[in-house]
Amino acid sequence: MACTSIGGYGYIGICICINFFSKPKLMQEIITYTIVFLAVVFLIRKFFVTSKNDKNCNKGCNCG
């Protein structure tokens, strides 16, 4: 009896997953927002986060 209920829940989970991925507009929005989020994170890290100086750079070399 427990095996049947686990199989039933697995089937419901598969149906929900297939139903979720069968909506192209929803998936397109999720992919778009993910790409926008990653682009914003990249730009924030590139321009606003200070990087550490190179270990090979001396303080008097005007390299940074």
Side-chain angles (χ1 to χ4, degrees):
M1 188 178 249
C3 189
T4 304
S5 64
I6 291 173
Y9 288 127
Y11 178 73
I12 292 171
I14 291 171
C15 289
I16 291 171
C17 185
I18 290 172
N19 188 22
F20 177 75
F21 288 119
S22 67
K23 298 179 181 181
K25 183 169 174 60
L26 178 65
M27 287 304 298
Q28 183 179 8
E29 289 179 0
I30 290 172
I31 291 169
T32 303
Y33 289 130
T34 302
I35 291 171
V36 168
F37 175 75
L38 292 174
V40 168
V41 168
F42 171 77
L43 290 174
I44 288 173
R45 289 185 67 201
K46 181 171 177 79
F47 292 112
F48 296 113
V49 176
T50 58
S51 62
K52 296 179 182 178
N53 289 338
D54 292 336
K55 292 181 180 179
N56 295 332
C57 180
N58 295 331
K59 292 185 179 183
C61 70
N62 282 336
C63 62

